[in-house]
Amino acid sequence: MNQLHCQQNAEYYPERGKMAAPFLETGMIIGLKRSFQVEKMVGGGGFGQIYRAVDLESKLVVAVKVEPKSTDPGRIVLELNILVQLAHSSHIPKVYYSGETGAFNFIIMQLLGSNIAELRKFQKTRSFSVETTARVGIQCLEGLKQIHTLGYIHRDIKPSNICAGIGEHKRILYIVDFGMARRIRLPDGSFRPERPYASFRGTSRYVSLAAHERKETGFVDDIWCLFFSLLELVEGLPWKNIADQDQVCFAKRQLLANFQSRKMGRNFEMFPQILEHTKRTDIPDYERLSGILKSCCVSFNDLEEFEWDDH
Ligand code: ADP
């Protein structure tokens, strides 16, 4: 993090999400060695807020992710660290700068478009086509492979953490929010020891059965999150209105006991079967899983524009 540079007095608002009171004001300037002018809030998560801003020197439009220092400063530092290590990955936003202002830490990064949870809701059918779903899956598998190769698991893969690119990157999807990531493999290739009990991390609707059971998770568990996300995008999840975690877990077991997909077809049935046979410390077969997604499509073209019009 760069040195403190406070242009305005920022206050900490305890509310969460995009509806929370803004941490930063429109027009304020942040940054020390480089200056960025805040324009408007474009996203809000469980901890932070995302703003569109302009780099006053290069005029590049950027995103600012800001988190109150009073939450857990380790989160944004971890996120920054991972983003820097993933600087050359095609499905992770580029990081340009970081710093602090008043009560907040911030990261300046590549500005993205809407997340695919929002984009799905804008569709007339509230769902994506098989082709779009397969493209989302294949691009996310590439992104996850890049993250996993570094030894990290994301632990909160879900539609609202997958954003479409903008401008020349509008056919590319990006994985965001590394605040819950964990390093499970060390640079020497060894795995961190398995804990007998792992506290719950992630979002109940999408996590793997292992996460529900408070077991140590691995690379494959990110792909389970992706699997449930894809199912939601293409045809919805039976547990969408269930809040109780145990009931969600039960509904997932029921679904997997006889998994069939109305829209994706028979080939998609192999996807969870492969995951079931992938152990926590196994490297998932990303290519085979991508091949399954491709085989679900009548025609697959990753170069076309996506079916959504960004809002
Ligand atoms: P939190 O860590 O607080 O949960 P996230 O990183 O998940 O926050 O971001 C919240 C939302 O902001 C995301 O769902 C996404 O829609 C949006 N967002 C995240 N990163 C960017 C970005 N670089 N550009 C544009 N929007 C983004």
Side-chain angles (χ1 to χ4, degrees):
M1 289 283 164
N2 291 297
Q3 277 183 325
L4 176 80
H5 181 57
C6 179
Q7 294 273 350
Q8 296 193 16
N9 275 340
E11 271 179 66
Y12 168 52
Y13 299 89
E15 300 89 344
R16 301 241 186 271
K18 208 170 176 177
M19 303 311 289
F23 294 155
L24 304 182
E25 286 164 36
T26 300
M28 79 183 276
I29 294 169
I30 57 171
L32 188 61
K33 290 188 192 132
R34 282 164 71 179
S35 305
F36 303 88
Q37 184 157 33
V38 175
E39 288 187 354
K40 67 166 197 166
M41 203 200 295
V42 293
F47 299 88
Q49 292 178 348
I50 314 286
Y51 293 80
R52 194 177 68 197
V54 181
D55 180 336
L56 288 177
E57 202 183 296
S58 69
K59 305 292 177 220
L60 184 72
V61 183
V62 297
V64 187
K65 177 161 182 172
V66 52
E67 273 189 24
K69 288 179 184 169
S70 56
T71 46
D72 173 6
R75 257 183 69 90
I76 198 160
V77 173
L78 169 79
E79 175 149 28
L80 176 64
N81 183 12
I82 298 177
L83 287 172
V84 168
Q85 290 183 65
L86 286 163
H88 303 293
S89 303
S90 43
H91 298 284
I92 315 294
K94 304 266 168 284
V95 58
Y96 304 129
Y97 188 82
S98 64
E100 46 189 306
T101 180
F104 304 98
N105 288 316
F106 68 83
I107 299 175
I108 305 284
M109 61 177 140
Q110 180 181 352
L111 181 69
L112 305 172
S114 301
N115 68 56
I116 56 168
E118 293 166 341
L119 291 169
R120 179 182 71 83
K121 288 180 192 148
F122 288 131
Q123 295 292 113
K124 272 200 204 85
T125 57
R126 296 268 189 281
S127 65
F128 290 142
S129 66
V130 169
E131 282 71 22
T132 299
T133 306
R135 282 174 74 185
V136 170
I138 290 168
Q139 293 203 27
C140 288
L141 282 166
E142 279 172 33
L144 285 174
K145 185 177 177 182
Q146 293 162 348
I147 298 164
H148 295 169
T149 302
L150 269 180
Y152 287 94
I153 51 175
H154 182 284
R155 300 201 292 183
D156 201 18
I157 294 293
K158 56 182 175 182
S160 62
N161 279 340
I162 302 167
C163 290
I166 54 173
E168 60 177 315
H169 302 118
K170 66 181 175 189
R171 293 177 190 81
I172 303 177
L173 295 167
Y174 294 83
I175 296 173
V176 300
D177 193 5
F178 290 83
M180 242 185 253
R182 176 176 165 88
R183 181 168 227 159
I184 59 162
R185 200 175 188 199
L186 305 173
D188 67 4
S190 65
F191 281 84
R192 285 174 72 177
E194 190 173 342
R195 295 165 296 177
Y197 174 89
S199 345
F200 186 84
R201 289 283 182 283
T203 304
S204 177
R205 191 182 286 185
Y206 309 100
V207 293
S208 64
L209 295 177
H212 277 287
E213 291 160 4
R214 311 295 192 262
K215 288 186 183 150
E216 190 74 78
T217 53
F219 302 129
V220 67
D221 297 277
D222 276 346
I223 305 184
W224 274 115
C225 294
L226 177 62
F227 169 70
F228 292 125
S229 300
L230 296 179
L231 204 56
E232 177 172 68
L233 296 175
V234 74
E235 58 191 46
L237 292 172
W239 51 88
K240 73 168 186 182
N241 295 320
I242 304 180
D244 181 79
Q245 257 188 38
D246 293 338
Q247 283 183 33
V248 171
C249 178
F250 181 75
K252 284 179 188 168
R253 273 187 216 291
Q254 271 193 321
L255 177 103
L256 293 172
N258 180 26
F259 177 65
Q260 290 177 333
S261 165
R262 191 167 39 85
K263 274 175 75 183
M264 294 292 278
R266 300 284 324 250
N267 287 355
F268 194 47
E269 291 168 20
M270 275 187 296
F271 199 103
Q273 282 170 17
I274 292 174
L275 300 186
E276 271 160 8
H277 289 98
T278 308
K279 291 198 284 292
R280 184 184 73 87
T281 51
D282 286 346
I283 307 298
D285 193 341
Y286 308 92
E287 282 70 29
R288 185 157 174 229
L289 293 165
S290 294
I292 289 174
L293 291 172
K294 246 183 223 170
S295 76
C296 297
C297 306
V298 176
S299 69
F300 181 86
N301 185 348
D302 213 18
L303 301 173
E304 267 175 33
E305 280 194 23
F306 277 110
E307 65 186 284
W308 51 70
D309 269 334
D310 203 351
H311 293 73

